[in-house]
C-alpha cells in the first residue's frame, strides 16, 4: 500500500454559481444560469471516478465544497458527490466535510439536508456586521440575515466558521475593534478574517482606477488593524494559525491545512485546481473555468481538465515554502530539504532571524509576529535564491 501523502489528502469541489457578482470578488463565479441537477451529479461522479482510477491508493481526510455559492446547491448534488467520493476512495472515520454558505441562501431545511448528506462543517460568508458596509461590498444580505443564518448553522452543525472582510472603506480602527469584539462573541471555534484586497479585473479595481473607491485605509492603518485582530483573537482564545484564519486549538480547517502543509488535493469542478501525485509524480491540475464548457467536456471527452503540469522538485519545494510560511506552524526544514535537495540559504535565514522576522523551533521555520506583517516581502526574499 502507498504511504499516505505528507500533509494529508483531500477533495475540493467547486460550485460556480452565485445570486449576484460581488464587486471585490475574483473567484470563478457566474450569475443567473438555470442548472440541471442530474447533469451535475453525473459530472461530479465521472470526475471523481476518473481521478480515483488514476491516483495512487489514498485515504480521503477532507472534502470541501467551495465557490461560488455552494449553499445554492440542491442537496442531492452534495449527497451524490459525497457518496461518489466514499465509493471511490477509503475515507478516515472522522472525515471533515465543509460547505461554504452565503447568508442570503441559508434556510433551515436545506442545512438539515446538507447535514444528512454528510456535511459536518459550515463556513458562512458574513463579511461585515454593519449594513452600510454590506451595501458597499455589494452583498445582498443584511446583518439581520447574517445573524439568522449563523443561528441556523450553529443549531445544525457542531463546527461553524464565518468570514469577515476588514480594512474596508471608511472603517476606523475603533469601528473594527467593536465589530470584531461582536464577532468574537458570536463565534464558535473558527473565524476567517481577511483584509480587503482590490483584485485586478474586478469592479472594485475599475472603480479604484477611476478614483472612485475612496476611504480605504492606508498601509499604517491596515497594519494597526491587523495587529488589533491578532490581539483580540488571542485574548478570546482564537489565535491565528494562518495569516487570515483563527481557531481554538484543534479546530483548524483540516482541509485548508492540507494546502498550507503542501499536501495533496484533487480539484473537481469548473476552474478547480489540484495538486496530486500520480504514479509517484506530482502534478498541478486545472479544470476548464466556464461551467457549461466544463460540463460539456466531462460528458463528451470524459475529462474536465484543461491543464496538467508535471512539477519539478524545485517548484514543489517553492510552493511548500510559500504556503507553509503562511501558518504559525511554519515550514518543516527537513521536508523542504528532502524535496528540493538543498537547504534554504543559511545566510538569508540568519539575516531575517537577526531582524526578528523569522524563527526556528523544533525543526520548523516560521515568521515571527513582526515578520507576519511583512510576510510577502519575506517570501519574495527567501524564494528568490
Ligand atoms: C470563495 S469566497 C466566497 C464564499 C461565499 N460565496 C461568500 O461570498 O460568502 C471566500 C471568502 O473570501 C473572502 N474574499 C473574497 N474576495 C475577497 C477580497 N477581494 N478581499 C478580501 N477577502 C475576500 C470573503 O470573505 C469570502 O467569504
Ligand atoms: S457570493 Fe462569494 S463567490 Fe459569489 S461573487 Fe460574491 S464573494 Fe464571489
Amino acid at each position: 500500500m502507498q504511504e499516505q501523502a505528507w500533509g494529508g489528502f483531500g477533495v475540493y469541489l467547486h460550485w460556480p454559481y452565485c445570486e449576484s457578482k460581488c464587486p471585490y470578488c475574483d473567484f470563478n463565479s457566474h450569475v443567473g444560469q438555470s442548472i440541471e441537477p442530474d447533469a451535475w451529479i453525473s459530472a461530479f461522479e465521472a470526475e471523481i471516478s476518473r481521478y480515483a482510477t488514476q491516483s495512487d491508493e489514498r485515504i480521503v481526510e477532507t472534502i470541501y465544497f467551495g465557490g461560488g455559492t455552494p449553499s445554492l446547491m440542491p442537496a442531492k448534488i452534495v449527497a451524490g458527490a459525497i457518496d461518489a467520493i466514499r465509493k471511490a476512495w477509503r475515507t478516515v472515520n472522522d472525515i471533515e466535510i465543509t460547505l461554504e454558505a452565503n447568508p442570503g441562501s441559508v434556510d433551515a431545511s436545506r442545512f438539515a439536508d446538507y447535514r444528512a448528506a454528510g456535511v459536518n462543517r459550515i463556513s458562512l460568508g458574513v463579511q461585515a456586521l454593519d449594513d452600510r458596509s454590506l451595501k458597499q461590498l455589494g452583498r445582498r444580505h443584511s446583518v439581520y440575515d447574517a445573524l439568522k443564518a449563523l443561528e441556523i448553522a450553529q443549531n445544525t452543525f457542531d463546527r461553524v466558521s464565518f468570514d469577515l472582510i476588514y480594512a474596508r472603506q471608511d472603517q476606523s480602527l475603533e469601528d473594527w475593534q467593536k465589530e470584531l469584539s461582536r464577532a468574537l462573541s458570536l463565534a464558535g471555534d473558527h473565524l476567517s478574517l481577511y483584509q480587503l484586497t482590490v483584485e485586478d479585473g474586478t469592479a472594485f479595481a475599475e472603480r479604484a482606477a477611476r478614483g472612485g473607491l475612496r476611504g480605504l485605509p492606508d498601509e499604517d492603518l491596515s497594519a494597526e488593524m491587523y495587529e488589533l485582530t491578532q490581539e483580540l483573537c488571542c485574548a478570546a482564545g482564537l489565535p491565528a494559525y494562518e495569516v487570515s484564519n483563527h481557531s481554538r486549538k484543534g479546530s483548524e480547517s483540516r482541509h485548508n491545512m492540507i494546502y498550507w502543509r503542501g499536501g495533496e488535493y484533487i480539484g473537481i469542478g469548473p476552474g478547480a485546481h489540484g495538486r496530486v501525485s500520480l504514479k509517484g509524480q506530482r502534478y498541478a491540475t486545472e479544470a476548464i473555468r466556464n461551467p457549461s464548457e466544463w460540463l460539456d467536456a466531462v460528458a463528451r471527452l470524459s475529462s474536465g481538465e484543461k491543464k496538467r503540469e508535471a512539477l519539478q522538485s524545485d517548484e514543489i519545494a517553492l510552493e511548500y515554502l510559500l504556503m507553509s510560511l503562511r501558518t504559525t506552524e511554519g515550514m518543516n526544514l527537513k521536508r523542504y530539504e528532502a524535496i528540493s535537495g538543498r537547504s534554504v540559504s543559511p545566510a538569508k535565514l540568519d539575516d531575517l532571524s537577526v531582524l526578528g522576522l523569522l524563527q526556528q523551533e523544533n525543526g520548523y521555520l516560521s515568521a515571527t509576529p513582526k515578520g507576519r506583517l511583512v510576510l510577502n516581502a519575506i517570501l519574495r526574499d527567501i524564494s528568490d535564491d
Side-chain angles (χ1 to χ4, degrees), residues 14-31 67-70 100 102 127 137-139 165:
H14 192 79
W15 184 254
Y17 299 117
C18 291
E19 280 176 328
S20 58
K21 183 79 189 177
C22 305
Y24 56 85
C25 174
D26 76 340
F27 286 85
N28 186 25
S29 63
H30 302 257
V31 180
T69 304
E100 283 180 354
N102 278 32
Q127 317 307 0
L137 290 172
R139 301 294 291 191
I165 297 180

Side-chain angles (χ1 to χ4, degrees), residues 108-120:
S109 60
R110 195 190 285 251
F111 265 26
D113 290 344
Y114 291 149
R115 187 185 148 148
V119 173
N120 54 24

Side-chain angles (χ1 to χ4, degrees), residues 270-320:
H273 290 252
R275 291 288 181 279
V276 59
S277 288
L278 307 171
K279 314 263 172 284
Q281 166 68 55
R282 188 172 165 105
Y283 292 92
T285 64
E286 192 183 333
I288 296 167
R289 268 178 83 81
N290 181 282
S292 14
E293 285 172 22
W294 179 81
L295 277 172
D296 196 46
V298 176
R300 288 192 312 109
L301 309 170
S302 305
S303 168
E305 230 174 270
K306 180 175 89 178
K307 215 163 95 187
R308 176 177 293 200
E309 188 193 342
L311 294 171
Q312 305 309 312
S313 50
D314 55 339
E315 295 171 305
I316 301 170
L318 179 60
E319 275 194 356
Y320 176 51

